[in-house]
Amino acid sequence: MQRHDVLVVGSGPVGIAVARRLAEQGLRVTVLESGAAVTDPPGSHLRNRPELNQNPDSYFPAIQPYLHPVTNATKQAELPGAFQSELEGGWGILWTNNCPRASEFERWDAMTSTEWEHRYVEAETMLQVVPAPAANSLTGNKVRERLHGVLAGMDRSVTDLPFSGRIQPSGEIYYNAPWDMLQAASPEVRKHITIQSGMCVKHLRRKGSRVTSVDVEDANKNVISLEAPAIFLAGGAIKTPRLLHASGITPAALGRGLSFHTLLFGQMLLDNELAAPVDVTDIDPRLWIPPTVESPWHLMLLRDTYPFAPAESIDNQHRLMEIQAFHSVDFQDENALLFDDNEDAAFHFALSQDDRDRMRLLVADVEHLAGQLGHWRRGCEPQWLPFDTAHLAGTCRMDVPGRDGVTDSFGRVHGFGNLFLTTVGLFPVPVAENPTLTAIALALRSCDHFIAGSAGSESIS
Ligand SMILES: Cc1cc2nc3c(=O)[nH]c(=O)nc-3n(C[C@H](O)[C@H](O)[C@H](O)COP(=O)(O)OP(=O)(O)OC[C@H]3O[C@@H](n4cnc5c(N)ncnc54)[C@H](O)[C@@H]3O)c2cc1C
């Protein structure tokens, strides 16, 4: 194996953003990924396969084989929808690529507002985010126009939903994945990054305030030890705290105060006058109603993929549009992801009364907005997806004033000089938007902090 200056655990979008940022500074980075490549090229998006691209509703069934329960049914009874994967590219080969920023009122004081802006621009560049991917959608623009007046009266707005990928005028969609993030780097930078798949990091070894090496199990179950001058854990919101726990690093906040998005999905039939005519080529809508203090949920209006079976046939594909509503549950210490001595996970979760109240208001809001645009397709009336589908947060949170976390505001684990966490698990407060862009914004900041602190250090040659 090539000599490295930094080990990164996990090859999802956050791990690859970290690897690229550090390699751009001349560091040699080894990425250890327990999963295997299932797409070609490794780490590219599954959904770019033509059969999945052409039939959006085939997508949920297609990804099921890659989603595994976290633990047994009893231990995850309160969060039956929680799942995990081991894949080269992580969930970055399965995600649906929506990349909104957190609204200003949701951002916490890890950074100044100027730095938040700057980090978001960097993260958008890393993910090649297109701010208005469906600006030319005939249907989308009519929907936007109709909602504009309705929302203005509520001090809310409808805008474009940023997307990591490209949408062709034909409507064909290209989804970015970790592979694309690497391809956008120069050949020189790519030479500094080695990705080793089938390599599961089992344990971090420490001496004083530094991690010195890691125990890694390969695909044949052989365990080797690798030197770790510095280490960034990007294993997602479940396996990152699990690895800390397995390594005896168990600060009080570990796993406590988890949060996630309750997801409401409905598919509607737009009024005929809103939809492009059946014989016209149109890009599907991709619109966003950002959260506000009074309506703190995130609404996406798009034709993406729908998990439930419809009971109504349609005359014009352009009339189909989903409303996906995300609401972040409160961060409460009783809501936790805890591990036993065998590293088996158990979820403890209950909705607060405030969560329930907001969810009721959200449903009423979605019904009201949908009523302005058309009607629910029969069989596709809005329903909550099982808790937690895909957006777990707060399992290894960073400090915020008055609430100690597992890391400081740079993602550096307390008590360690060379151990950083880069994951959605760091979020210490509710953020209703899709989380990956924000996680990458934080991760790039961690990288820069590490590089600044390491200048001249012996560990970086
Ligand atoms: C169907 C779906 C749709 C989604 N859509 C969106 C969206 O539109 N927008 C959005 O922002 N987010 C979306 N998400 C969530 C998004 O995919 C995640 O936020 C993102 O992938 C997190 O990136 P990550 O790199 O932190 O972790 P992951 O992508 O989970 O990658 C972590 C990797 O680390 C590896 N790993 C873990 N532990 C170890 C270990 N000990 N040793 C070695 N390797 C290890 C795992 O095998 C995994 O491959 C979606 C997710 C799903 C499943």
Side-chain angles (χ1 to χ4, degrees):
M1 185 175 290
Q2 153 186 310
R3 274 204 56 217
H4 50 259
D5 299 309
V6 180
L7 285 179
V8 175
V9 178
S11 68
V14 180
I16 293 303
V18 168
R20 197 179 126 184
R21 180 59 151 235
L22 297 175
E24 282 166 353
Q25 298 301 315
L27 301 183
R28 288 156 305 181
V29 183
T30 293
V31 179
L32 299 169
E33 168 56 57
S34 57
V38 299
T39 49
D40 184 18
S44 60
H45 209 297
L46 189 79
R47 202 168 174 177
N48 292 329
R49 290 182 184 161
E51 69 277 16
L52 297 180
N53 209 307
Q54 282 153 18
N55 177 4
D57 295 333
S58 62
Y59 194 56
F60 267 106
I63 63 175
Q64 292 311 311
Y66 304 111
L67 305 177
H68 307 291
V70 176
T71 178
N72 69 43
T74 312
K75 288 182 174 172
Q76 71 173 80
E78 285 148 6
L79 295 186
F83 50 79
Q84 57 188 358
S85 308
E86 287 183 304
L87 299 163
E88 183 165 341
W91 278 351
I93 72 162
L94 306 180
W95 70 321
T96 47
N97 297 48
N98 299 304
C99 284
R101 299 179 180 190
S103 297
E104 279 178 40
F105 79 92
E106 299 175 299
R107 301 177 194 173
W108 59 100
D109 63 358
M111 313 180 226
T112 62
S113 52
T114 311
E115 189 176 2
W116 273 106
E117 287 301 310
H118 161 69
R119 295 296 177 190
Y120 272 127
V121 171
E122 291 185 324
E124 285 158 351
T125 305
M126 188 66 83
L127 285 167
Q128 300 161 66
V129 172
V130 177
N136 295 327
S137 166
L138 300 173
T139 308
N141 285 333
K142 286 193 181 160
V143 169
R144 186 198 311 255
E145 208 175 291
R146 191 172 284 183
L147 284 180
H148 187 71
V150 180
L151 291 165
M154 306 182 211
D155 264 347
R156 295 163 74 194
S157 60
V158 55
T159 184
D160 295 289
L161 178 62
F163 181 73
S164 171
R166 299 186 297 280
I167 303 183
Q168 313 293 351
S170 64
E172 195 184 326
I173 303 181
Y174 182 85
Y175 296 87
N176 288 337
W179 182 79
D180 303 273
M181 296 166 72
L182 283 176
Q183 291 313 300
S186 71
E188 194 51 38
V189 166
R190 288 206 298 273
K191 257 194 251 160
H192 279 67
I193 301 173
T194 307
I195 299 176
Q196 298 273 317
S197 50
M199 300 288 270
C200 183
V201 177
K202 302 297 255 188
H203 193 86
L204 312 177
R205 298 203 174 270
R206 70 186 288 183
K207 200 170 196 181
S209 64
R210 297 185 74 77
V211 173
T212 50
S213 64
V214 299
D215 296 344
V216 188
E217 187 179 83
D218 69 15
N220 298 319
K221 304 273 178 216
N222 300 315
V223 177
I224 57 167
S225 173
L226 287 181
E227 204 189 324
I231 180 157
F232 283 71
L233 303 188
I238 294 169
K239 291 188 178 171
T240 298
R242 177 185 273 152
L243 180 56
L244 291 176
H245 187 269
S247 307
I249 303 169
T250 55
L254 191 70
R256 293 189 183 277
L258 66 77
S259 177
F260 62 90
H261 290 148
T262 58
L263 307 185
L264 185 82
F265 271 43
Q267 189 179 64
M268 54 180 309
L269 284 178
L270 295 168
D271 289 344
N272 268 316
E273 62 270 25
L274 292 178
V278 66
D279 52 353
V280 166
T281 302
D282 192 23
I283 297 173
D284 291 324
R286 222 161 243 279
L287 295 170
W288 172 30
I289 302 177
T292 60
V293 175
E294 287 75 28
S295 306
W297 42 84
H298 159 61
L299 301 183
M300 298 193 290
L301 289 71
L302 71 178
R303 175 69 180 114
D304 180 15
T305 180
Y306 191 70
F308 307 113
E312 183 176 358
S313 55
I314 48 166
D315 48 359
N316 176 1
Q317 286 291 336
H318 301 315
R319 291 184 65 201
L320 279 184
M321 189 182 79
E322 285 110 37
I323 300 188
Q324 300 182 5
F326 293 20
H327 151 261
S328 179
V329 299
D330 278 340
F331 280 65
Q332 304 179 77
D333 278 359
E334 308 80 79
N335 291 337
L337 166 63
L338 301 178
F339 302 97
D340 64 20
D341 291 344
N342 300 319
E343 303 318 325
D344 206 8
F347 287 105
H348 303 270
F349 178 76
L351 288 170
S352 69
Q353 190 54 48
D354 283 352
D355 291 329
R356 289 177 202 282
D357 291 345
R358 279 194 304 268
M359 288 165 72
R360 258 194 297 276
L361 290 171
L362 179 158
V363 172
D365 186 42
V366 166
E367 291 287 1
H368 170 67
L369 294 173
Q372 309 293 313
L373 300 171
H375 65 270
W376 298 115
R377 189 180 188 187
R378 256 199 330 279
C380 303
E381 295 79 8
Q383 53 180 302
W384 295 105
L385 266 54
F387 297 167
D388 135 77
T389 306
H391 293 168
L392 195 64
T395 50
C396 44
R397 63 181 197 244
M398 62 170 55
D399 295 342
V400 281
R403 199 156 171 264
D404 289 344
V406 174
T407 78
D408 65 16
S409 69
F410 292 99
R412 195 175 54 83
V413 176
H414 289 307
F416 288 84
N418 65 344
L419 176 60
F420 289 83
L421 308 187
T422 49
T423 161
V424 176
L426 281 174
F427 293 11
V429 298
V431 172
E433 291 86 347
N434 322 60
T436 309
L437 182 78
T438 299
I440 290 181
L442 294 172
L444 297 177
R445 180 169 193 258
S446 301
C447 292
D448 289 356
H449 182 69
F450 166 70
I451 290 162
S454 304
S457 142
E458 282 171 21
S459 64
I460 307 297
S461 49

